[in-house]
Amino acid sequence: MVEKLPAESSVTREVVLSLPFTGLWLARNSPARRVPSHGSDLLGERYAIDFIGVDDHRRTAGTRDWRTFLATEPPERFYAFGRPILAPADGVVVDVHDGEVDHAGRRSQLALVPYMLGQMERLRQGVGAVAGNYLIIALRDSDVFVALAHLRAGSIRVAVGEEVRTGQPVADCGNSGNSTQPHVHVQVMDSVDLSVARGVPMAFRHFRERPRGARQFQVRESGIPGEEAVVEPLPVSAAEDLGT
């Protein structure tokens, strides 16, 4: 039996958010490269994007040893792990899921093999096994929702029904759920229920971006980061002063 994928959302307008962090992060699985960005329309992922914390040299971790090439690694090795995750928009928290463990990191191709073989089993286990620890915010004056996933176990700082403001710390970056190394997964969707949600296009405001292979950053007033681009949010005043 072929599983029917959710149809594309009827919400076609682009939802503009703030990047949910500070500092440098690497964009992966960007809808600027392809749609569906994660290869599936399931769980509202059609326009989702991942961000991995990096240093000035685009490195995701400061340590490389035999484990990097042959085994798993502690999540604490990675720059993203434990970094604050911020609310990307004003709204109300409508769903919170915690209690999923933070897995070891997997940069080794050998370590990735058993991980890939376990993909279908995680899907069968349900949303929590895929999204890990997550929270969902109903955006103010809108009929859409933003989800932040793969959060660090026990780090969620907000509760269902709580109002949040853009830039407010809501959790820490983790490595829970279907994740090979610590990162934050961001998506906008038309339902609070991840099992039936359909993805909605999104963009981010006021950030600088260094595309893969480029030496210089460019300032973007609004847009979606390119695949493998390094991004950093900018204060509104800085973006206005620098121009686009």
Side-chain angles (χ1 to χ4, degrees), residues 145-160:
F145 306 83
V146 60
L148 304 170
H150 307 305
L151 305 174
R152 185 178 184 178
S155 75
I156 298 177
R157 299 173 173 82
V158 292
V160 171

Side-chain angles (χ1 to χ4, degrees), residues 138-151:
L139 301 192
R140 180 176 294 176
D141 301 322
S142 179
D143 55 358
V144 299
F145 306 83
V146 60
L148 304 170
H150 307 305
L151 305 174

Side-chain angles (χ1 to χ4, degrees), residues 50-163:
D50 296 326
F51 293 103
I52 306 169
V54 294
D55 65 6
D56 291 336
H57 303 287
R58 299 171 57 93
R59 295 177 300 197
T60 62
T63 300
R64 295 180 72 89
D65 59 14
W66 68 270
R67 298 188 67 87
T68 306
F69 302 100
L70 299 175
T72 60
E73 303 173 84
E76 292 82 5
R77 282 191 174 188
F78 295 84
Y79 294 127
F81 191 72
R83 281 191 183 180
I85 299 302
L86 314 177
D90 296 347
V92 177
V93 178
V94 290
D95 193 12
V96 169
H97 178 76
D98 204 344
E100 305 291 336
V101 300
D102 288 295
H103 305 296
R106 298 173 184 268
R107 286 186 285 177
S108 161
Q109 293 300 311
L110 290 175
L112 283 171
V113 171
Y115 168 83
M116 296 303 295
L117 293 175
Q119 292 274 33
M120 292 307 298
E121 178 58 29
R122 284 188 288 275
L123 270 175
R124 284 192 289 268
Q125 290 174 7
V127 171
V130 178
N133 305 308
Y134 64 85
L135 64 89
I136 299 175
I137 300 169
L139 301 192
R140 180 176 294 176
D141 301 322
S142 179
D143 55 358
V144 299
F145 306 83
V146 60
L148 304 170
H150 307 305
L151 305 174
R152 185 178 184 178
S155 75
I156 298 177
R157 299 173 173 82
V158 292
V160 171
E162 184 174 341
E163 292 190 6

Side-chain angles (χ1 to χ4, degrees), residues 144-213:
V144 299
F145 306 83
V146 60
L148 304 170
H150 307 305
L151 305 174
R152 185 178 184 178
S155 75
I156 298 177
R157 299 173 173 82
V158 292
V160 171
E162 184 174 341
E163 292 190 6
V164 294
R165 300 296 300 272
T166 304
Q168 175 182 335
V170 292
D172 295 340
C173 183
N175 198 42
S176 57
N178 194 37
S179 177
T180 58
Q181 65 175 294
H183 73 285
V184 61
H185 171 105
V186 185
Q187 67 184 51
V188 178
M189 52 200 182
D190 65 357
S191 171
V192 67
D193 185 349
L194 285 167
S195 66
V196 299
R198 296 170 295 180
V200 174
M202 64 180 170
F204 298 95
R205 64 171 65 89
H206 304 319
F207 64 95
R208 64 175 189 154
E209 174 180 357
R210 188 174 71 204
R212 184 176 186 177

Side-chain angles (χ1 to χ4, degrees), residues 12-89:
T12 57
R13 68 186 183 277
E14 189 176 70
V15 176
V16 182
L17 307 171
S18 293
L19 287 167
F21 44 69
T22 60
L24 299 175
W25 294 69
L26 181 71
R28 287 225 175 120
N29 297 314
S30 172
R33 177 187 64 164
R34 67 174 185 181
V35 175
S37 58
H38 284 59
S40 172
D41 279 320
L42 293 174
L43 307 181
E45 290 188 328
R46 183 171 180 80
Y47 301 99
I49 189 169
D50 296 326
F51 293 103
I52 306 169
V54 294
D55 65 6
D56 291 336
H57 303 287
R58 299 171 57 93
R59 295 177 300 197
T60 62
T63 300
R64 295 180 72 89
D65 59 14
W66 68 270
R67 298 188 67 87
T68 306
F69 302 100
L70 299 175
T72 60
E73 303 173 84
E76 292 82 5
R77 282 191 174 188
F78 295 84
Y79 294 127
F81 191 72
R83 281 191 183 180
I85 299 302
L86 314 177

